[in-house]
Amino acid sequence: MSVISEDNVRGEGSENLFKEISADGADWQPTEIESLCMNCFKNGMTRLLLTKIPFFKEVIISSFSCAHCDWSNTEIQSAGRIQDQGVCYTLKVKTKQDLNREVVKSDSATTRIPELDFEIPPFTQKGALSTIEGLLDRAVSGLEQDQTVRRAADPEVAEKIDEFIHKLRQLKEVESEFTLVIEDPSGNSFVENPKAPQKDDALTVSLFKRTMQQDMQLGLRADDDLEEEEEPAASDIDAMRDEVLAFNTNCPECNAPAATNMKLVQIPHFKEVIIMATNCDSCGHRTNEVKSGGGTEEMGTKITLHLTDPSDMTRDVLKSETCAVAIPELEFELGMAAVGGKFTTLEGLLKDIKDLIISKNPFMCGDSCTAARQQKLNEFGEKIDKITAGEMDVHIILDDPAGNSYVQNVYAPDPDPEITIEKYTRTFEQNEDLGLNDMKTEGYQEDK
C-alpha cells in the first residue's frame, strides 16, 4: 500500500494537484483506476478529479462506471479544511423553479423535510453536487432499493414505504409549499441563491457552534474527551492586552501549516475587539477576522452611512459576524452569515462584497453559469466600482442585532452628520439566532 503525504500531493517546486477547472485546463485529465463493481462484482473504472470549488475549497470528484452491468455512481468529497462553524440552510420551496437550485451537500450534512417528518441522517449518504430535485430523486432511490425484499418479508412495512415514496414524488410537483433544511456541522455545504446579489427571502442561512458529539463525528475531538474547554481567567485577558499572541493553524486556502496572530485592540469611542490575522507562507493567502471583546448588547444597532465624498472610503468599519449589510439604492442585502467579522475600511468592505458575489461565486463559471446571470452580476460589480470611486450617491446600512458593529466618526467627539445610529429591540427570531432565548443567567440556587 502506498502512502500519500503532503509532499506527494504538493511536492517541492511542483504544482498543487488541486487545480481549478477552466477552459484552458483541457490537458488536466482525471485519474483512472480499475476497481471492483459492487453490483456485479466485476472490474469497472473509477475516475478521480482533484479540483477547487469556491465556497467548498478542495474537493475530490469521483465517478464509477461498469461496462459489464452499466451500473454507475458519482461522489464528491471535501479535501479541504473543516470550517470554524457549522452552517444550516433553510429553504422554503414554493415553485418548480426552486427545484433547480444547485446544492453542494457534504456527507456530514443532515437533510430534513419537516412537513413529512423526513430526515436523512449524517454519514448515511456520500457527498453530492446536485439540485433540490436531485436530492429528492436520490432519497426516493434509496427507499426503493430494498422494496422487493420488504414486499416478500413484510408487506405491511413495504406498503407504508410505498406511500411515503409517493409523497416524496408529489413534492416535485410543488402543489403546496414545503421546507428543506440542510444542516452541516462541517460548514462545507451550500445552497444556491438565484437572486444573488439580492437577498433571497425564501432562503435562510445561519451559522452555529458544533457540539462535542459533532466534533467527535468529524474526528476533531477524541471519543473520550468529554471535558469542556475552560474559559480564560480575567488575569489572563489582562496579560493579553499588551502582546500579540500567535498559535499554529492551517491555511484556509491551501491547508498548509500557518500561524495566526491575535491581538486585543481598543477602538476609540467604541469598545474592545479581538483581531485575528493569518498569513500563509506557502500560497501567500492572507485573511483577517474580528470578534467582539464584549458580550451581546441589550439592544440591536442599525448604522446608516450616507456616502457624499470619496474620502468616506477611508472610514474604519467594524463588521461583526452577526451584522447584515444593505445598499438600498442597489436593492442589495448581505446576510450576517455570508461574510465573517471584519475590521477594515469601507473600501475594503465593498471589495470583499464584490469578491464574494463575483470572484468567489461558484455559479459564475462552468456549466452552472448562464449569460443572463453573469451579465447581472457583472453589472452589480460595476456599480460597486462606481461607489468606491465616489461616482454614486448611496447609503450603506449595517444592521447588527448584537450591537457589536461600528463605523468611524471622522468628526469625533462631535456628531457625524452623515451617520445615523438607531437602537432597537431585537425580535424573538433575532434572539433565537443569537442563542439568547434559551440562555438563563439568573435565579439559580444551590441544592441544599
Side-chain angles (χ1 to χ4, degrees):
M1 180 182 294
S2 62
V3 178
I4 300 178
S5 64
E6 184 177 343
D7 293 336
N8 298 136
V9 174
R10 305 192 182 279
E12 296 183 1
S14 63
E15 297 182 358
N16 193 336
L17 288 181
F18 293 91
K19 295 186 177 181
E20 297 182 2
I21 297 179
S22 64
D24 299 329
D27 57 335
W28 185 244
Q29 299 297 329
T31 302
E32 296 186 350
I33 303 173
E34 188 175 4
S35 52
L36 181 67
C37 174
M38 301 307 296
N39 188 48
C40 67
F41 299 103
K42 296 182 180 180
N43 284 342
M45 187 64 65
T46 297
R47 294 173 176 84
L48 298 176
L49 180 63
L50 283 65
T51 185
K52 290 182 180 179
I53 297 179
F55 293 109
F56 205 52
K57 307 302 179 184
E58 294 95 345
V59 297
I60 301 174
I61 301 176
S62 63
S63 174
F64 175 82
S65 60
C66 179
H68 302 283
C69 64
D70 294 328
W71 188 72
S72 61
N73 183 36
T74 60
E75 181 181 336
I76 183 172
Q77 295 180 350
S78 175
R81 63 187 291 270
I82 294 174
Q83 304 303 312
D84 295 332
Q85 291 180 298
V87 65
C88 180
Y89 291 88
T90 304
L91 173 66
K92 296 290 185 181
V93 181
K94 303 177 181 179
T95 64
K96 287 189 176 182
Q97 285 74 18
D98 287 331
L99 298 177
N100 296 327
R101 291 175 184 249
E102 292 174 304
V103 176
V104 176
K105 176 185 173 296
S106 73
D107 53 1
S108 62
T110 299
T111 304
R112 293 193 299 270
I113 302 177
E115 288 80 0
L116 298 184
D117 198 18
F118 175 69
E119 177 176 316
I120 302 176
F123 303 106
T124 57
Q125 287 185 348
K126 296 297 184 180
L129 176 60
S130 183
T131 61
I132 302 296
E133 183 177 6
L135 292 182
L136 294 176
D137 289 338
R138 193 177 186 188
V140 169
S141 298
L143 292 174
E144 287 181 334
Q145 186 173 0
D146 297 325
Q147 276 297 84
T148 303
V149 177
R150 291 193 192 99
R151 290 189 181 98
D154 195 338
E156 185 177 349
V157 173
E159 183 179 355
K160 292 181 179 179
I161 293 179
D162 284 334
E163 293 176 359
F164 192 83
I165 290 174
H166 177 71
K167 292 180 181 179
L168 282 176
R169 286 176 172 163
Q170 284 296 108
L171 292 181
K172 294 168 58 177
E173 301 299 326
V174 198
E175 296 177 353
S176 60
E177 178 182 315
F178 68 92
T179 307
L180 178 72
V181 180
I182 297 179
E183 182 177 319
D184 185 5
S186 73
N188 284 329
S189 292
F190 180 79
V191 177
E192 177 191 9
N193 173 11
K195 296 182 180 180
Q198 277 77 34
K199 179 183 178 181
D200 188 350
D201 295 331
L203 181 64
T204 303
V205 185
S206 59
L207 300 177
F208 62 88
K209 184 178 180 181
R210 285 185 292 269
T211 63
M212 287 188 296
Q213 290 75 14
Q214 290 172 331
D215 281 340
M216 292 176 186
Q217 288 180 331
L218 296 173
L220 301 178
R221 187 191 292 262
D223 292 343
D224 57 352
D225 184 8
L226 299 177
E227 296 182 0
E228 293 283 356
E229 296 181 359
E230 296 182 357
E231 295 292 334
S235 57
D236 297 331
I237 296 179
D238 292 336
M240 293 166 55
R241 300 181 191 278
D242 298 325
E243 62 177 325
V244 177
L245 301 180
F247 54 92
N248 296 327
T249 183
N250 288 73
C251 173
E253 191 69 23
C254 69
N255 208 35
T260 295
N261 298 323
M262 182 175 71
K263 179 75 167 65
L264 284 172
V265 176
Q266 178 66 44
I267 297 179
H269 309 288
F270 189 54
K271 61 172 66 175
E272 198 171 51
V273 298
I274 303 172
I275 298 179
M276 295 179 289
T278 303
N279 297 329
C280 179
D281 296 332
S282 299
C283 67
H285 179 73
R286 308 176 75 179
T287 182
N288 67 82
E289 186 175 359
V290 62
K291 300 284 187 181
S292 172
T296 302
E297 298 292 325
E298 294 184 1
M299 303 183 71
T301 303
K302 184 177 181 180
I303 304 173
T304 303
L305 171 63
H306 184 200
L307 301 183
T308 58
D309 191 90
S311 62
D312 287 330
M313 291 296 109
T314 61
R315 289 178 184 255
D316 289 333
V317 175
L318 170 64
K319 177 199 171 298
S320 76
E321 63 271 18
T322 59
C323 179
V325 181
I327 307 176
E329 289 78 3
L330 302 186
E331 297 182 353
F332 170 76
E333 183 171 343
L334 186 71
M336 66 179 185
V339 178
K342 295 282 184 180
F343 183 47
T344 179
T345 61
L346 186 58
E347 181 179 7
L349 179 61
L350 293 174
K351 181 180 181 300
D352 288 340
I353 292 175
K354 179 182 176 182
D355 290 342
L356 178 68
I357 298 300
I358 299 178
S359 303
K360 298 180 180 179
N361 193 330
F363 304 115
M364 275 291 286
C365 58
D367 297 337
S368 301
C369 182
T370 62
R373 178 187 297 168
Q374 188 172 23
Q375 181 181 0
K376 178 182 178 181
L377 295 180
N378 285 336
E379 289 175 355
F380 175 81
E382 292 174 358
K383 292 179 181 179
I384 292 292
D385 291 336
K386 289 182 179 180
I387 295 175
T388 305
E391 299 175 4
M392 288 187 67
D393 187 357
V394 299
H395 293 77
I396 306 293
I397 300 176
L398 301 182
D399 189 351
D400 188 358
N404 289 326
S405 294
Y406 159 85
V407 175
Q408 181 185 10
N409 177 4
V410 295
Y411 296 91
D414 297 326
D416 191 326
E418 307 301 336
I419 294 180
T420 302
I421 301 178
E422 304 174 32
K423 296 288 185 178
Y424 62 88
T425 302
R426 286 185 292 269
T427 64
F428 178 86
E429 289 75 13
Q430 289 173 326
N431 282 329
E432 186 72 18
D433 291 337
L434 296 174
L436 300 178
N437 288 333
D438 298 326
M439 185 180 295
K440 184 178 180 182
T441 59
E442 298 177 354
Y444 286 101
Q445 295 181 355
E446 295 183 1
D447 295 334
K448 296 183 180 180

